Amino acid sequence: MLDSTLNLNLLAAYARFEQSMGWRLGSYAKTVIYRSAKHHVCPTCGGPKRDSTSLCYSCTSLRQQAEALGVAHLMADRVRIANYAIKFDQMYRVMDGYKRNRPESKDYCETLKYVLGDALVVHWSCLTHTSDGVMPSAWATIPSTTTSERYGQPHPLNGLVSPMLNKTIPEVKLLANEQKHRAIAPSTFSLDGSYSDETLRHVLLIDDTWTSGGTAESASIMLKQSGAQRVTIYCLARIIDLDYCSRMIGQSVSDGYKQLTYRNGCPWDYDQCPMRNK
């Protein structure tokens, strides 16, 4: 247990970290939201939806697929995503470029270290508070699938997460068995090894991007089929296609997403987050 002085020192250090993160991302990042006044935001993934539906088209489709397969109860307990990556904007370039061998890739990785550090270090305790008090017992990243040029190689995201979590909780390693699917396909992944019930009590599943959500939810279902009791999905970016949004939902909704900005808040949406009153 930290004494009050150290807590204050930590809060001050975390405040400086978040300030630096704001300087780096604030001019272009758009923080994911889960509710809007006109009910055009999906409460699961933050994506655009019609005001007459409870979830966006992708999340509704995934839920229906999972129900048809009899695995809906094995979907993730919670999904949280850091920022929107609107197609062809700067965050979209960051998410595409960080895992490529380009001159700017190193700088993109530094940007994502800030995003990960905020969720996995600064607000780490908030995740437990928003998970019925069950702290994460292990972490995992989603490996490249069989059609990826990086198949069989360590995923760049894993290299960013490892230094932040390996001293806190163990890693659960996943294997990719098939090509990437947009639909629910738990057979896409399997566990690389065996893990204790305690290790699988609450797995924090980390991915870089969420488009349809099929990949992350398939991995979540596989984890629960393998013994995980709780799975929280955390993604760095929610991909948004504003042209599709405009055509399928409306120009006003598309414009609303375009106008969103960077907000320095708790990535786990914990109302009593100590950083809110720093």
Side-chain angles (χ1 to χ4, degrees), residues 9-20 122 264 275 278:
N9 289 337
L10 270 177
L11 285 174
Y14 289 163
R16 290 192 296 271
F17 177 91
E18 290 197 328
Q19 185 179 53
S20 296
V122 175
N264 191 353
M275 298 297 291
K278 59 184 179 292

Side-chain angles (χ1 to χ4, degrees), residues 24-235:
R24 178 175 276 268
L25 285 81
S27 63
Y28 63 85
K30 299 177 185 296
T31 305
V32 170
I33 60 174
Y34 298 96
R35 60 194 70 85
S36 69
K38 296 186 178 180
H39 309 291
H40 285 300
V41 177
C42 178
T44 295
C45 72
K49 72 174 188 68
R50 300 181 188 278
D51 58 6
S52 58
T53 62
S54 58
L55 300 173
C56 67
Y57 174 81
S58 293
C59 288
T60 298
S61 178
L62 291 179
R63 174 64 60 176
Q64 291 171 344
Q65 293 167 33
E67 288 173 349
L69 293 170
V71 295
H73 63 293
L74 301 179
M75 296 177 77
D77 297 274
R78 199 158 186 252
V79 176
R80 276 298 175 266
I81 306 173
N83 296 288
Y84 291 109
I86 293 175
K87 275 198 170 182
F88 311 119
D89 73 357
Q90 180 62 17
M91 185 57 74
Y92 188 84
R93 288 191 286 272
V94 169
M95 299 313 305
D96 175 70
Y98 90 94
K99 49 194 172 185
R100 301 184 184 277
N101 187 20
R102 295 175 179 172
E104 64 271 25
S105 296
K106 183 177 180 180
D107 187 61
Y108 291 164
C109 284
E110 290 300 313
T111 294
L112 297 183
K113 285 180 183 178
Y114 272 97
V115 179
L116 288 165
D118 195 48
L120 306 182
V121 179
V122 175
H123 293 275
W124 179 247
S125 63
C126 297
L127 171 53
T128 298
H129 286 294
T130 56
S131 302
D132 299 323
V134 182
M135 70 177 295
S137 56
W139 66 275
T141 54
I142 297 179
S144 300
T145 49
T146 56
T147 50
S148 169
E149 60 186 17
R150 290 180 301 279
Y151 174 65
Q153 304 173 19
H155 196 285
L157 179 62
N158 188 276
L160 296 179
V161 175
S162 295
M164 299 184 190
L165 288 183
N166 268 350
K167 292 183 179 180
T168 306
I169 51 176
E171 178 184 5
V172 169
K173 294 186 177 181
L174 276 54
L175 291 173
N177 307 313
E178 302 172 6
Q179 66 182 12
K180 188 172 185 176
H181 298 281
R182 285 181 176 266
I184 295 291
S187 61
T188 305
F189 304 102
S190 59
L191 289 182
D192 183 7
S194 58
Y195 299 90
S196 67
D197 291 343
E198 175 58 28
T199 298
L200 295 175
R201 182 168 46 86
H202 179 187
V203 180
L204 175 59
L205 180 62
I206 304 169
D207 201 6
D208 51 8
T209 56
W210 175 293
T211 303
S212 71
T215 301
E217 285 289 11
S218 293
S220 172
I221 292 168
M222 181 280 296
L223 282 165
K224 289 195 174 184
Q225 288 174 333
S226 301
Q229 298 172 43
R230 175 185 289 268
V231 175
T232 296
I233 292 174
Y234 177 71
C235 285

Side-chain angles (χ1 to χ4, degrees), residues 250-270:
Q251 186 62 47
S252 62
V253 178
S254 176
D255 289 343
Y257 274 88
K258 192 182 300 183
Q259 293 163 12
L260 290 173
T261 59
Y262 174 81
R263 293 182 298 107
N264 191 353
C266 179
W268 304 110
D269 256 1
Y270 179 43

Side-chain angles (χ1 to χ4, degrees), residues 230-244:
R230 175 185 289 268
V231 175
T232 296
I233 292 174
Y234 177 71
C235 285
L236 292 169
R238 175 37 162 118
I239 305 298
I240 298 287
D241 185 336
L242 290 182
D243 289 338
Y244 175 84

